[in-house]
Amino acid sequence: RDSSMIPQTPPRLLAALAVLATVLVTTAARATIVNSLRGFDRDEPGWSGSIAGAYGASGGNTDQSTFEGSGRVQWRTGANTLKLIASGKRTTSKGEETARSVLTHLRHNYDLSERWATLTFLQAQRNPFQRLDSRTLFGLGARWDAIHGDELIWSVGAAHMLEKEKIQDEEGGRQTTRMSAFTSLEAELSDGVVLDALVFYQPRWSDFSDWRIFGMIQLDVELNHTLTLFTNYLIQHNDRPPEGVEQTDWTTKTGFRADF
């Protein structure tokens, strides 16, 4: 690319992004694995992002409501890409809070070629309903686009990940290293209709029987150049969760996303 044609980052915007990233990371996220591969413009330089929201409710024998919102922002210049992701979710049943999650994720990619890129990420997590006071992740690895066409993109990647955890009612903390491997498929079924599938696998290096997995399948329907309707199914499994916590969680949701 001709660097003279790439928008320059205003210093105040860079400073604001750094402050926002610091605040979000130190407030601690409340999720296990974040989908950082979607919701971004792959080619255009400068700023891009999206805001999404979803709401669900039930009544009668089950009185439950769930609201979820998320935002993504990206700065791309030359071979460098910086991404910041934040999301929140709250569920109540008969006036009692039954689930709460807030997630933040900061990631950098450097394009080595048209199909190869490095990846570096920092993530903080917390989930009081899973006895997780805090979990901090730092990872370094690479991604390869095995297929990168106009209608089909298939990527695989892996990273070495340092993990620090603090569990409720446990003294001290835990520290370990894991592999974080993923594969993703994005297929355009027709004009404005995209099928998205993604799987993350995270075993502990010293004991591959201690593993986690995250899977997602999503359908996006573009309503106009800005607004998209989406529906998805997500499943997470932790083979060795804290005592009293279920191994598997799954969710479905439908909502709208506005891209900018």
Side-chain angles (χ1 to χ4, degrees), residues 3 14 28 41 46 48-50 69-70 123 135 146 167 169 187 192 195 218 220 255:
S3 60
L14 275 178
D41 195 311
S48 63
S50 64
S70 64
Q123 183 172 314
R135 176 184 290 147
I167 306 299
D169 304 322
L195 180 65
Q218 177 166 307
D220 287 355

Side-chain angles (χ1 to χ4, degrees), residues 159-161 176-180 203-208 210:
H160 172 73
M161 187 172 71
T176 188
T177 56
R178 292 181 180 271
M179 176 180 70
S180 179
R204 185 153 55 99
W205 282 115
S206 60
D207 182 2
F208 265 56
D210 179 1

